[in-house]
Amino acid sequence: VQSELEFISWLQEHVPPHPRCELPLGDDCAIVHVENSAVVTTDMLVEGVHFLSNEVSPRRIGRKLLAVNLSDLAAMAARPTAAVISLALPRKGGYSLAVELYEGLLPLAERYHVAIAGGDTNVWDGPLVVSLTLLGDPHPRGSLRRHGAVEGDSILVTGTLCGSLRGRHLDFEPRVDEAQRLRDQYNLHAGIDITDGLAIDLSRVLAASGRGAIVDVDLVPISEAALELAHRANDRKSPLQHALGDGEDFELLLTAPQDEARRMLADTPLEVPLTIIGEITPDDGLRQRDRQGRITPLAADGYLHRTNK
Amino acid sequence: VQSELEFISWLQEHVPPHPRCELPLGDDCAIVHVENSAVVTTDMLVEGVHFLSNEVSPRRIGRKLLAVNLSDLAAMAARPTAAVISLALPRKGGYSLAVELYEGLLPLAERYHVAIAGGDTNVWDGPLVVSLTLLGDPHPRGSLRRHGAVEGDSILVTGTLCGSLRGRHLDFEPRVDEAQRLRDQYNLHAGIDITDGLAIDLSRVLAASGRGAIVDVDLVPISEAALELAHRANDRKSPLQHALGDGEDFELLLTAPQDEARRMLADTPLEVPLTIIGEITPDDGLRQRDRQGRITPLAADGYLHRTNK
């Protein structure tokens, strides 16, 4: 695919029609069917910050572009519906690159029933920039918010933390289905996806809710990757520090009343781990508790490289 | 504004709340109230293609970013509701630049009652890239489409063509209100906004409608700018060639039954000019007719620099 026209033809052939979209690609705007409210998120990935073109295939970049937006919808327990995609392509080989981005993205779109509703493709003299806006339906029980944690809530996380530096930040599975299932079946108070690190994202929930938390650090589910990283000769962080501070886990961080959280764990409603890692406190501090019950302050110094909203 | 946190504070202070948005800025997604369908468009502007940072102020870039998206909604006679904005900012002075972009954009958002619902802000080593996705309500009489022109339709344009090279591509007024008013009061068959030049955008309407057209070239409303440009010593194009081929006019190109078009002109429903410039033919060619009635082919070689959808 060498030219804009060839790329448009490719798109028209490979982007499937979707019941939510009234028009095929090719008008000035897309029309997406929505019921009363649309949950909307946007994320941009740029060369050198979110990926390195010489290390990562365009397919994985395309997949990640959709996945990070899916993770934002999952954080609110919304169901994804439609996406629009903007690309700034390098002049050399840009359209072939665009096809590969889409080839990485389309299977994930199909997996989560996301309509590709439109986009804007540009060629320029700079490096690759990709941007996606994702629409979703709010959950019938209401959107999960950062706001809403109350004292006594248990803090839960899905999966295990810290795999991003080993490539998981590209290949993670967004917790769309998990968020739906938990919101369907349980009374959740607050939620966020872990993008900048457990400590910093938890502190966002606390700030929005006007509460504090104690994290039982020995309960934090640490991935194999965190152990491997910490065992490197020049690594100065413990596995726990990786799990608390490394970003791009894209797991869900939730709060729920203690009884409800215990019921969730007993039910094992998910195929991925679900772990209680601490509790919400009435004050506004973030603290950690070790195995011996000692409580000390916990710094919210996650890996911060972007603003989301 | 030097840091991300300062920029977020600035946003929270300067982006007004909006009845369409359920949440203030700061959750993982925005929630936008929508009735049944959302009209969605996205446009990205990149350094060196859509603007030159050393020649154009960030405020004008910010204004243009919203204006080009508003023009896409106008092309479908949709009413804008909410926007999300993604930025890739240069590392040096990026957040101050972001504030100026917003300062250029916010007055236009207010003018058209657009909620700024969220966004994603990134700092990187490359030049400025800005991307906006705009949602709108479809017109109650249905969205205006490229598809729909039939033989005998008159072709109309708003305003005068060709001012983009003289700066109008930055400061144009999107025809949002004009599109609403015309769609409210008249039976329109097809519409598009002129982004890549009258000839190429008309040919898009023709392709979507499976029809042809004859353009009465002496009726095409030519701007002062086209005349000035053509009078330059080294300019090889006539004012008409500028009007037909230069892009980024952001005027509306519409088709309507001949009687309806005449009624529109008699009513003068707009404050800007509205001109009949030709007619739709049953064949699929694009032709021009001169003052003497001679008909010759018209090349659709507008200024093409991007794909929209």
Short mmCIF file of all heavy atoms in Angstrom, two decimals, chain A residues 225-289:
data_model
loop_
_atom_site.label_atom_id
_atom_site.label_comp_id
_atom_site.label_asym_id
_atom_site.label_seq_id
_atom_site.Cartn_x
_atom_site.Cartn_y
_atom_site.Cartn_z
N ALA A 225 7.42 -11.08 36.36
CA ALA A 225 8.29 -10.07 35.75
C ALA A 225 8.93 -9.18 36.81
O ALA A 225 10.10 -8.82 36.70
CB ALA A 225 7.49 -9.22 34.76
N ALA A 226 8.16 -8.85 37.84
CA ALA A 226 8.71 -7.99 38.90
C ALA A 226 9.84 -8.70 39.63
O ALA A 226 10.85 -8.09 39.99
CB ALA A 226 7.60 -7.60 39.89
N LEU A 227 9.67 -10.00 39.85
CA LEU A 227 10.72 -10.78 40.51
C LEU A 227 11.98 -10.83 39.64
O LEU A 227 13.10 -10.61 40.11
CB LEU A 227 10.21 -12.19 40.81
CG LEU A 227 8.98 -12.25 41.73
CD1 LEU A 227 8.44 -13.68 41.83
CD2 LEU A 227 9.32 -11.71 43.12
N GLU A 228 11.77 -11.08 38.36
CA GLU A 228 12.91 -11.13 37.43
C GLU A 228 13.65 -9.81 37.39
O GLU A 228 14.87 -9.75 37.44
CB GLU A 228 12.43 -11.47 36.02
CG GLU A 228 12.12 -12.94 35.80
CD GLU A 228 11.52 -13.16 34.43
OE1 GLU A 228 12.03 -12.57 33.45
OE2 GLU A 228 10.52 -13.89 34.33
N LEU A 229 12.86 -8.72 37.29
CA LEU A 229 13.47 -7.40 37.21
C LEU A 229 14.32 -7.11 38.44
O LEU A 229 15.44 -6.61 38.34
CB LEU A 229 12.38 -6.33 37.12
CG LEU A 229 11.79 -6.06 35.74
CD1 LEU A 229 10.57 -5.15 35.87
CD2 LEU A 229 12.83 -5.43 34.82
N ALA A 230 13.74 -7.43 39.59
CA ALA A 230 14.42 -7.11 40.85
C ALA A 230 15.69 -7.93 41.02
O ALA A 230 16.62 -7.51 41.73
CB ALA A 230 13.48 -7.33 42.02
N HIS A 231 15.75 -9.07 40.36
CA HIS A 231 16.93 -9.92 40.49
C HIS A 231 18.08 -9.50 39.59
O HIS A 231 19.16 -10.04 39.68
CB HIS A 231 16.56 -11.39 40.24
CG HIS A 231 15.93 -12.00 41.44
ND1 HIS A 231 14.71 -12.64 41.40
CD2 HIS A 231 16.32 -12.03 42.74
CE1 HIS A 231 14.39 -13.04 42.62
NE2 HIS A 231 15.34 -12.67 43.45
N ARG A 232 17.81 -8.53 38.70
CA ARG A 232 18.91 -8.04 37.87
C ARG A 232 19.96 -7.38 38.75
O ARG A 232 19.63 -6.69 39.72
CB ARG A 232 18.41 -7.01 36.88
CG ARG A 232 17.60 -7.59 35.75
CD ARG A 232 17.26 -6.45 34.82
NE ARG A 232 16.32 -6.87 33.81
CZ ARG A 232 15.76 -6.03 32.96
NH1 ARG A 232 16.04 -4.74 33.05
NH2 ARG A 232 14.93 -6.47 32.06
N ALA A 233 21.19 -7.54 38.37
CA ALA A 233 22.30 -7.06 39.19
C ALA A 233 22.21 -5.56 39.48
O ALA A 233 22.43 -5.11 40.59
CB ALA A 233 23.62 -7.37 38.49
N ASN A 234 21.83 -4.78 38.46
CA ASN A 234 21.85 -3.33 38.66
C ASN A 234 20.48 -2.75 39.04
O ASN A 234 20.28 -1.55 39.00
CB ASN A 234 22.38 -2.63 37.41
CG ASN A 234 21.50 -2.94 36.20
OD1 ASN A 234 20.60 -3.78 36.28
ND2 ASN A 234 21.77 -2.26 35.10
N ASP A 235 19.55 -3.62 39.41
CA ASP A 235 18.22 -3.12 39.75
C ASP A 235 18.18 -2.73 41.21
O ASP A 235 18.52 -3.52 42.09
CB ASP A 235 17.17 -4.20 39.46
CG ASP A 235 15.77 -3.63 39.48
OD1 ASP A 235 15.24 -3.33 40.57
OD2 ASP A 235 15.20 -3.46 38.39
N ARG A 236 17.78 -1.51 41.49
CA ARG A 236 17.79 -1.02 42.86
C ARG A 236 16.43 -1.12 43.52
O ARG A 236 16.24 -0.68 44.64
CB ARG A 236 18.21 0.45 42.89
CG ARG A 236 19.64 0.64 42.44
CD ARG A 236 20.11 2.01 42.83
NE ARG A 236 21.29 2.37 42.07
CZ ARG A 236 21.71 3.61 41.90
NH1 ARG A 236 21.01 4.60 42.42
NH2 ARG A 236 22.79 3.86 41.21
N LYS A 237 15.45 -1.65 42.81
CA LYS A 237 14.11 -1.72 43.39
C LYS A 237 13.79 -3.15 43.78
O LYS A 237 14.20 -4.10 43.11
CB LYS A 237 13.07 -1.26 42.37
CG LYS A 237 13.07 0.24 42.11
CD LYS A 237 11.95 0.54 41.13
CE LYS A 237 11.78 2.03 40.91
NZ LYS A 237 10.71 2.26 39.91
N SER A 238 12.98 -3.29 44.82
CA SER A 238 12.48 -4.60 45.19
C SER A 238 11.32 -4.96 44.26
O SER A 238 10.76 -4.09 43.60
CB SER A 238 11.97 -4.55 46.64
OG SER A 238 10.79 -3.77 46.69
N PRO A 239 10.96 -6.27 44.21
CA PRO A 239 9.79 -6.64 43.41
C PRO A 239 8.56 -5.82 43.81
O PRO A 239 7.79 -5.39 42.95
CB PRO A 239 9.59 -8.12 43.75
CG PRO A 239 10.93 -8.60 44.17
CD PRO A 239 11.60 -7.43 44.83
N LEU A 240 8.40 -5.57 45.11
CA LEU A 240 7.25 -4.80 45.57
C LEU A 240 7.29 -3.36 45.03
O LEU A 240 6.28 -2.83 44.60
CB LEU A 240 7.22 -4.76 47.10
CG LEU A 240 6.08 -3.92 47.69
CD1 LEU A 240 4.73 -4.54 47.36
CD2 LEU A 240 6.26 -3.74 49.19
N GLN A 241 8.47 -2.78 45.07
CA GLN A 241 8.57 -1.41 44.54
C GLN A 241 8.20 -1.37 43.06
O GLN A 241 7.55 -0.43 42.60
CB GLN A 241 9.99 -0.86 44.76
CG GLN A 241 10.22 -0.45 46.21
CD GLN A 241 11.66 -0.01 46.46
OE1 GLN A 241 12.61 -0.70 46.07
NE2 GLN A 241 11.81 1.12 47.10
N HIS A 242 8.62 -2.40 42.31
CA HIS A 242 8.18 -2.47 40.91
C HIS A 242 6.67 -2.56 40.82
O HIS A 242 6.03 -1.87 40.03
CB HIS A 242 8.81 -3.68 40.21
CG HIS A 242 10.23 -3.45 39.79
ND1 HIS A 242 10.56 -2.54 38.82
CD2 HIS A 242 11.39 -4.01 40.20
CE1 HIS A 242 11.88 -2.55 38.64
NE2 HIS A 242 12.42 -3.43 39.48
N ALA A 243 6.10 -3.42 41.64
CA ALA A 243 4.65 -3.64 41.56
C ALA A 243 3.88 -2.38 41.95
O ALA A 243 2.82 -2.10 41.40
CB ALA A 243 4.25 -4.82 42.45
N LEU A 244 4.40 -1.64 42.91
CA LEU A 244 3.71 -0.43 43.35
C LEU A 244 3.93 0.74 42.41
O LEU A 244 3.06 1.59 42.26
CB LEU A 244 4.21 -0.01 44.76
CG LEU A 244 3.81 -0.89 45.93
CD1 LEU A 244 4.52 -0.41 47.20
CD2 LEU A 244 2.29 -0.86 46.14
N GLY A 245 5.10 0.80 41.79
CA GLY A 245 5.47 2.03 41.10
C GLY A 245 5.53 1.96 39.58
O GLY A 245 5.40 2.98 38.93
N ASP A 246 5.73 0.78 39.01
CA ASP A 246 5.83 0.70 37.56
C ASP A 246 4.45 0.96 36.96
O ASP A 246 3.43 0.58 37.52
CB ASP A 246 6.32 -0.67 37.12
CG ASP A 246 7.79 -0.90 37.51
OD1 ASP A 246 8.40 0.01 38.09
OD2 ASP A 246 8.31 -2.00 37.23
N GLY A 247 4.42 1.59 35.82
CA GLY A 247 3.14 1.92 35.21
C GLY A 247 2.69 0.88 34.19
O GLY A 247 3.30 -0.17 34.03
N GLU A 248 1.59 1.19 33.53
CA GLU A 248 1.08 0.42 32.41
C GLU A 248 0.79 -1.04 32.74
O GLU A 248 1.06 -1.93 31.94
CB GLU A 248 2.03 0.53 31.21
CG GLU A 248 2.26 2.00 30.84
CD GLU A 248 2.59 2.20 29.37
OE1 GLU A 248 3.63 1.71 28.92
OE2 GLU A 248 1.77 2.83 28.70
N ASP A 249 0.24 -1.28 33.93
CA ASP A 249 -0.24 -2.63 34.22
C ASP A 249 -1.57 -2.89 33.53
O ASP A 249 -1.86 -4.02 33.14
CB ASP A 249 -0.43 -2.80 35.74
CG ASP A 249 0.88 -2.89 36.47
OD1 ASP A 249 1.66 -3.80 36.14
OD2 ASP A 249 1.13 -2.04 37.34
N PHE A 250 -2.39 -1.84 33.45
CA PHE A 250 -3.73 -1.95 32.86
C PHE A 250 -4.59 -3.01 33.55
O PHE A 250 -5.41 -3.65 32.93
CB PHE A 250 -3.64 -2.17 31.35
CG PHE A 250 -2.93 -1.03 30.66
CD1 PHE A 250 -1.64 -1.17 30.20
CD2 PHE A 250 -3.56 0.20 30.52
CE1 PHE A 250 -0.97 -0.11 29.60
CE2 PHE A 250 -2.90 1.27 29.92
CZ PHE A 250 -1.60 1.11 29.45
N GLU A 251 -4.34 -3.17 34.85
CA GLU A 251 -5.26 -3.96 35.66
C GLU A 251 -6.27 -3.01 36.30
O GLU A 251 -6.08 -1.80 36.31
CB GLU A 251 -4.47 -4.73 36.75
CG GLU A 251 -3.51 -5.78 36.21
CD GLU A 251 -4.21 -6.97 35.55
OE1 GLU A 251 -5.44 -7.09 35.68
OE2 GLU A 251 -3.51 -7.77 34.90
N LEU A 252 -7.35 -3.58 36.82
CA LEU A 252 -8.35 -2.77 37.50
C LEU A 252 -8.03 -2.66 38.98
O LEU A 252 -7.63 -3.64 39.61
CB LEU A 252 -9.74 -3.43 37.36
CG LEU A 252 -10.29 -3.54 35.95
CD1 LEU A 252 -11.59 -4.35 35.97
CD2 LEU A 252 -10.53 -2.17 35.34
N LEU A 253 -8.22 -1.46 39.50
CA LEU A 253 -8.13 -1.20 40.93
C LEU A 253 -9.54 -0.79 41.36
O LEU A 253 -10.09 0.17 40.82
CB LEU A 253 -7.13 -0.07 41.18
CG LEU A 253 -6.99 0.43 42.61
CD1 LEU A 253 -6.34 -0.62 43.50
CD2 LEU A 253 -6.16 1.71 42.65
N LEU A 254 -10.12 -1.53 42.30
CA LEU A 254 -11.52 -1.33 42.67
C LEU A 254 -11.66 -1.18 44.18
O LEU A 254 -10.82 -1.67 44.94
CB LEU A 254 -12.35 -2.55 42.22
CG LEU A 254 -12.24 -2.94 40.75
CD1 LEU A 254 -12.76 -4.36 40.54
CD2 LEU A 254 -12.98 -1.95 39.87
N THR A 255 -12.72 -0.52 44.59
CA THR A 255 -13.07 -0.61 46.01
C THR A 255 -14.51 -1.07 46.13
O THR A 255 -15.35 -0.79 45.28
CB THR A 255 -12.89 0.73 46.79
OG1 THR A 255 -14.08 1.51 46.69
CG2 THR A 255 -11.69 1.52 46.30
N ALA A 256 -14.76 -1.84 47.21
CA ALA A 256 -16.10 -2.39 47.46
C ALA A 256 -16.23 -2.58 48.98
O ALA A 256 -15.22 -2.75 49.67
CB ALA A 256 -16.27 -3.72 46.74
N PRO A 257 -17.45 -2.57 49.49
CA PRO A 257 -17.61 -2.84 50.93
C PRO A 257 -16.94 -4.17 51.28
O PRO A 257 -16.93 -5.10 50.47
CB PRO A 257 -19.13 -2.94 51.09
CG PRO A 257 -19.70 -2.19 49.92
CD PRO A 257 -18.72 -2.37 48.80
N GLN A 258 -16.40 -4.25 52.51
CA GLN A 258 -15.59 -5.40 52.90
C GLN A 258 -16.32 -6.74 52.69
O GLN A 258 -15.73 -7.69 52.15
CB GLN A 258 -15.21 -5.25 54.37
CG GLN A 258 -14.05 -6.11 54.77
CD GLN A 258 -13.68 -5.90 56.24
OE1 GLN A 258 -14.51 -6.06 57.12
NE2 GLN A 258 -12.43 -5.52 56.47
N ASP A 259 -17.57 -6.82 53.08
CA ASP A 259 -18.34 -8.07 52.93
C ASP A 259 -18.47 -8.45 51.46
O ASP A 259 -18.38 -9.63 51.10
CB ASP A 259 -19.75 -7.91 53.51
CG ASP A 259 -19.71 -7.85 55.03
OD1 ASP A 259 -18.61 -8.05 55.60
OD2 ASP A 259 -20.78 -7.58 55.63
N GLU A 260 -18.75 -7.42 50.66
CA GLU A 260 -18.92 -7.64 49.22
C GLU A 260 -17.61 -8.14 48.61
O GLU A 260 -17.59 -9.07 47.79
CB GLU A 260 -19.34 -6.32 48.57
CG GLU A 260 -19.83 -6.43 47.15
CD GLU A 260 -21.25 -6.98 47.07
OE1 GLU A 260 -21.78 -7.46 48.11
OE2 GLU A 260 -21.81 -6.95 45.96
N ALA A 261 -16.50 -7.55 49.04
CA ALA A 261 -15.19 -7.95 48.52
C ALA A 261 -14.90 -9.40 48.89
O ALA A 261 -14.38 -10.18 48.07
CB ALA A 261 -14.11 -7.03 49.09
N ARG A 262 -15.26 -9.78 50.10
CA ARG A 262 -15.03 -11.19 50.53
C ARG A 262 -15.88 -12.14 49.70
O ARG A 262 -15.44 -13.21 49.32
CB ARG A 262 -15.35 -11.33 52.01
CG ARG A 262 -14.25 -10.72 52.87
CD ARG A 262 -14.42 -11.09 54.34
NE ARG A 262 -13.44 -10.37 55.16
CZ ARG A 262 -13.70 -9.83 56.33
NH1 ARG A 262 -14.91 -9.95 56.88
NH2 ARG A 262 -12.76 -9.19 56.99
N ARG A 263 -17.13 -11.70 49.43
CA ARG A 263 -18.02 -12.51 48.61
C ARG A 263 -17.43 -12.67 47.20
O ARG A 263 -17.46 -13.76 46.61
CB ARG A 263 -19.39 -11.83 48.54
CG ARG A 263 -20.49 -12.67 47.93
CD ARG A 263 -21.88 -12.14 48.26
NE ARG A 263 -22.24 -10.93 47.54
CZ ARG A 263 -22.80 -10.91 46.33
NH1 ARG A 263 -23.05 -12.05 45.69
NH2 ARG A 263 -23.10 -9.78 45.72
N MET A 264 -16.86 -11.58 46.66
CA MET A 264 -16.26 -11.64 45.33
C MET A 264 -15.13 -12.66 45.29
O MET A 264 -15.02 -13.46 44.36
CB MET A 264 -15.71 -10.25 44.94
CG MET A 264 -16.78 -9.24 44.61
SD MET A 264 -16.21 -7.51 44.69
CE MET A 264 -15.20 -7.42 43.24
N LEU A 265 -14.29 -12.62 46.32
CA LEU A 265 -13.16 -13.55 46.34
C LEU A 265 -13.63 -14.99 46.48
O LEU A 265 -13.07 -15.90 45.86
CB LEU A 265 -12.21 -13.19 47.48
CG LEU A 265 -10.98 -12.41 47.01
CD1 LEU A 265 -11.36 -11.11 46.33
CD2 LEU A 265 -10.01 -12.16 48.16
N ALA A 266 -14.68 -15.19 47.28
CA ALA A 266 -15.22 -16.55 47.47
C ALA A 266 -15.83 -17.08 46.17
O ALA A 266 -15.72 -18.26 45.85
CB ALA A 266 -16.25 -16.54 48.59
N ASP A 267 -16.47 -16.17 45.44
CA ASP A 267 -17.15 -16.58 44.19
C ASP A 267 -16.18 -16.90 43.06
O ASP A 267 -16.53 -17.60 42.12
CB ASP A 267 -18.07 -15.45 43.68
CG ASP A 267 -19.27 -15.23 44.59
OD1 ASP A 267 -19.48 -16.03 45.51
OD2 ASP A 267 -19.99 -14.23 44.36
N THR A 268 -14.97 -16.31 43.12
CA THR A 268 -14.01 -16.35 41.98
C THR A 268 -14.73 -16.17 40.64
O THR A 268 -14.74 -17.08 39.81
CB THR A 268 -13.17 -17.65 41.96
OG1 THR A 268 -14.06 -18.76 41.85
CG2 THR A 268 -12.30 -17.78 43.18
N PRO A 269 -15.29 -14.98 40.41
CA PRO A 269 -16.05 -14.75 39.18
C PRO A 269 -15.19 -14.56 37.94
O PRO A 269 -15.70 -14.58 36.83
CB PRO A 269 -16.82 -13.46 39.50
CG PRO A 269 -15.96 -12.72 40.47
CD PRO A 269 -15.26 -13.79 41.28
N LEU A 270 -13.89 -14.38 38.12
CA LEU A 270 -13.00 -14.08 36.98
C LEU A 270 -12.02 -15.21 36.74
O LEU A 270 -11.73 -16.00 37.63
CB LEU A 270 -12.19 -12.80 37.27
CG LEU A 270 -12.97 -11.55 37.67
CD1 LEU A 270 -12.01 -10.39 37.85
CD2 LEU A 270 -14.04 -11.21 36.63
N GLU A 271 -11.51 -15.24 35.51
CA GLU A 271 -10.46 -16.21 35.21
C GLU A 271 -9.09 -15.69 35.63
O GLU A 271 -8.14 -16.45 35.72
CB GLU A 271 -10.46 -16.54 33.71
CG GLU A 271 -11.58 -17.51 33.36
CD GLU A 271 -12.01 -17.40 31.92
OE1 GLU A 271 -11.13 -17.22 31.05
OE2 GLU A 271 -13.23 -17.49 31.67
N VAL A 272 -8.98 -14.38 35.84
CA VAL A 272 -7.71 -13.81 36.32
C VAL A 272 -7.81 -13.64 37.83
O VAL A 272 -8.90 -13.59 38.39
CB VAL A 272 -7.41 -12.46 35.63
CG1 VAL A 272 -7.25 -12.65 34.14
CG2 VAL A 272 -8.48 -11.43 35.93
N PRO A 273 -6.65 -13.54 38.51
CA PRO A 273 -6.69 -13.36 39.97
C PRO A 273 -7.42 -12.08 40.36
O PRO A 273 -7.41 -11.10 39.61
CB PRO A 273 -5.21 -13.26 40.35
CG PRO A 273 -4.45 -13.86 39.22
CD PRO A 273 -5.27 -13.64 38.00
N LEU A 274 -8.05 -12.13 41.51
CA LEU A 274 -8.68 -10.95 42.11
C LEU A 274 -8.23 -10.96 43.57
O LEU A 274 -8.43 -11.96 44.26
CB LEU A 274 -10.20 -11.06 41.99
CG LEU A 274 -11.03 -9.87 42.47
CD1 LEU A 274 -10.76 -8.63 41.63
CD2 LEU A 274 -12.52 -10.22 42.41
N THR A 275 -7.60 -9.88 43.99
CA THR A 275 -6.92 -9.88 45.29
C THR A 275 -7.31 -8.66 46.10
O THR A 275 -7.36 -7.55 45.56
CB THR A 275 -5.38 -9.86 45.08
OG1 THR A 275 -5.03 -10.83 44.11
CG2 THR A 275 -4.65 -10.15 46.38
N ILE A 276 -7.59 -8.86 47.40
CA ILE A 276 -7.78 -7.74 48.31
C ILE A 276 -6.39 -7.30 48.80
O ILE A 276 -5.63 -8.12 49.31
CB ILE A 276 -8.66 -8.13 49.51
CG1 ILE A 276 -10.08 -8.47 49.03
CG2 ILE A 276 -8.70 -6.99 50.54
CD1 ILE A 276 -11.02 -8.94 50.15
N ILE A 277 -6.06 -6.03 48.62
CA ILE A 277 -4.71 -5.57 48.96
C ILE A 277 -4.71 -4.49 50.03
O ILE A 277 -3.66 -3.94 50.36
CB ILE A 277 -3.96 -5.04 47.72
CG1 ILE A 277 -4.71 -3.85 47.10
CG2 ILE A 277 -3.74 -6.14 46.69
CD1 ILE A 277 -3.84 -2.98 46.23
N GLY A 278 -5.87 -4.15 50.56
CA GLY A 278 -5.85 -3.11 51.59
C GLY A 278 -7.24 -2.59 51.85
O GLY A 278 -8.23 -3.20 51.44
N GLU A 279 -7.31 -1.46 52.56
CA GLU A 279 -8.61 -0.91 52.90
C GLU A 279 -8.60 0.62 52.87
O GLU A 279 -7.54 1.25 53.01
CB GLU A 279 -9.05 -1.39 54.28
CG GLU A 279 -8.16 -0.87 55.40
CD GLU A 279 -8.43 -1.58 56.73
OE1 GLU A 279 -7.99 -2.76 56.86
OE2 GLU A 279 -9.05 -0.96 57.59
N ILE A 280 -9.77 1.17 52.67
CA ILE A 280 -9.95 2.62 52.64
C ILE A 280 -10.12 3.12 54.08
O ILE A 280 -10.82 2.49 54.88
CB ILE A 280 -11.18 2.99 51.79
CG1 ILE A 280 -11.01 2.50 50.35
CG2 ILE A 280 -11.45 4.50 51.83
CD1 ILE A 280 -9.91 3.17 49.56
N THR A 281 -9.45 4.24 54.37
CA THR A 281 -9.50 4.82 55.71
C THR A 281 -10.15 6.20 55.64
O THR A 281 -10.20 6.81 54.56
CB THR A 281 -8.07 4.95 56.28
OG1 THR A 281 -7.28 5.72 55.37
CG2 THR A 281 -7.43 3.59 56.47
N PRO A 282 -10.67 6.70 56.77
CA PRO A 282 -11.39 7.98 56.73
C PRO A 282 -10.48 9.19 56.51
O PRO A 282 -10.92 10.20 55.97
CB PRO A 282 -12.07 8.04 58.11
CG PRO A 282 -11.36 7.06 58.97
CD PRO A 282 -10.75 6.04 58.09
N ASP A 283 -9.23 9.11 56.94
CA ASP A 283 -8.28 10.21 56.74
C ASP A 283 -7.90 10.29 55.27
O ASP A 283 -8.40 9.53 54.46
CB ASP A 283 -7.03 9.91 57.57
CG ASP A 283 -6.44 8.58 57.17
OD1 ASP A 283 -6.99 7.52 57.59
OD2 ASP A 283 -5.46 8.57 56.40
N ASP A 284 -7.00 11.21 54.91
CA ASP A 284 -6.66 11.32 53.49
C ASP A 284 -5.22 10.90 53.17
O ASP A 284 -4.67 11.32 52.16
CB ASP A 284 -6.95 12.73 52.98
CG ASP A 284 -6.09 13.78 53.66
OD1 ASP A 284 -5.30 13.40 54.55
OD2 ASP A 284 -6.20 14.95 53.30
N GLY A 285 -4.61 10.06 54.01
CA GLY A 285 -3.23 9.66 53.73
C GLY A 285 -3.14 8.32 53.01
O GLY A 285 -4.09 7.54 52.99
N LEU A 286 -2.00 8.07 52.40
CA LEU A 286 -1.73 6.78 51.77
C LEU A 286 -0.62 6.11 52.58
O LEU A 286 0.48 6.65 52.71
CB LEU A 286 -1.28 6.98 50.31
CG LEU A 286 -0.86 5.72 49.54
CD1 LEU A 286 -1.95 4.66 49.54
CD2 LEU A 286 -0.47 6.09 48.11
N ARG A 287 -0.93 4.95 53.16
CA ARG A 287 0.03 4.27 54.04
C ARG A 287 0.15 2.80 53.66
O ARG A 287 -0.70 2.25 52.95
CB ARG A 287 -0.41 4.42 55.49
CG ARG A 287 -0.29 5.87 55.98
CD ARG A 287 -0.83 6.07 57.38
NE ARG A 287 -2.28 5.89 57.42
CZ ARG A 287 -2.98 5.77 58.53
NH1 ARG A 287 -2.35 5.73 59.72
NH2 ARG A 287 -4.28 5.62 58.51
N GLN A 288 1.25 2.19 54.12
CA GLN A 288 1.47 0.76 53.87
C GLN A 288 1.57 0.03 55.22
O GLN A 288 2.02 0.59 56.21
CB GLN A 288 2.72 0.53 53.05
CG GLN A 288 3.99 1.13 53.64
CD GLN A 288 5.17 1.03 52.68
OE1 GLN A 288 5.24 0.11 51.89
NE2 GLN A 288 6.08 1.98 52.79
N ARG A 289 1.13 -1.22 55.21
CA ARG A 289 1.22 -2.05 56.43
C ARG A 289 2.01 -3.29 56.06
O ARG A 289 1.68 -3.97 55.07
CB ARG A 289 -0.19 -2.41 56.90
CG ARG A 289 -0.23 -3.25 58.18
CD ARG A 289 -1.63 -3.22 58.81
NE ARG A 289 -2.67 -3.50 57.82
CZ ARG A 289 -3.96 -3.14 57.95
NH1 ARG A 289 -4.36 -2.47 59.03
NH2 ARG A 289 -4.84 -3.44 57.03
#
